[in-house]
Amino acid sequence: MAKTSELEALYRATTYRVFLPGGHCDLRIDQPCEKLSCWLKSVGASNFAIITACNPGSQPVDAARNAEQQSLLECDLLEGNYEPYAGENVADGAAWPVEESCFVADIAPEDACALGQDYGQNAVVYGSADGVPRLLWIELGDA
């Protein structure tokens, strides 16, 4: 459980930037974002997820491998009839590199976790139409 607590602290010390039509939103865990909430309502979306394929297990991986895996994630989303928007996870400290991510509206939490698990992630960011991002931990066997 200590590992989860350490990871949670790191994930909370990150800005989850999503690039949507009309501008970007900078999200923080458990902090409401009115701009995101308005956008979700305008497109009739009831929820969202932020998923990355970078640095599986929160272990640094070289940039080429991260780019390859992120590209595969984007293809999986498109094949699943989702419309992914670009995003990036920006850690507060300079010790961790910026990670590419995908913002996806109207995705079931089970599907978001299954994709995260497929790419070795510990958690995904998930929220409802209220625009409040939350950590959704991936447990073994969730997929």
Side-chain angles (χ1 to χ4, degrees):
M1 198 53 125
K3 182 178 179 185
T4 301
S5 297
E6 291 170 16
L7 288 174
E8 183 165 351
L10 291 173
Y11 296 170
R12 287 179 173 279
T14 297
T15 297
Y16 299 90
R17 181 168 294 136
V18 297
F19 299 96
L20 301 171
H24 76 276
C25 296
D26 284 348
L27 309 176
R28 299 292 288 210
I29 299 300
D30 293 330
Q31 295 180 16
C33 178
E34 185 176 343
K35 185 176 182 179
L36 176 59
S37 178
C38 289
W39 184 85
L40 290 165
K41 290 174 186 167
S42 76
V43 299
S46 60
N47 57 49
F48 69 92
I50 299 170
I51 309 166
T52 186
C54 296
N55 302 311
S58 295
Q59 297 298 311
V61 174
D62 68 81
R65 179 75 174 151
N66 277 336
E68 177 185 329
Q69 290 300 296
Q70 190 65 22
S71 179
L72 291 172
L73 170 61
E74 291 169 16
C75 289
D76 285 348
L77 287 164
L78 291 169
E79 288 172 7
N81 292 319
Y82 295 107
E83 184 177 356
Y85 292 93
E88 57 186 19
N89 306 338
V90 183
D92 290 351
W96 194 256
V98 173
E99 297 178 333
E100 285 186 57
S101 63
C102 292
F103 173 89
V104 186
D106 275 338
I107 184 169
E110 303 82 30
D111 293 341
C113 284
L115 281 166
Q117 187 172 20
D118 287 349
Y119 289 92
Q121 301 302 307
N122 297 309
V124 297
V125 175
Y126 196 83
S128 63
D130 64 3
V132 179
R134 302 191 191 289
L135 286 174
L136 188 57
W137 293 97
I138 298 170
E139 300 295 332
L140 290 178
D142 272 359

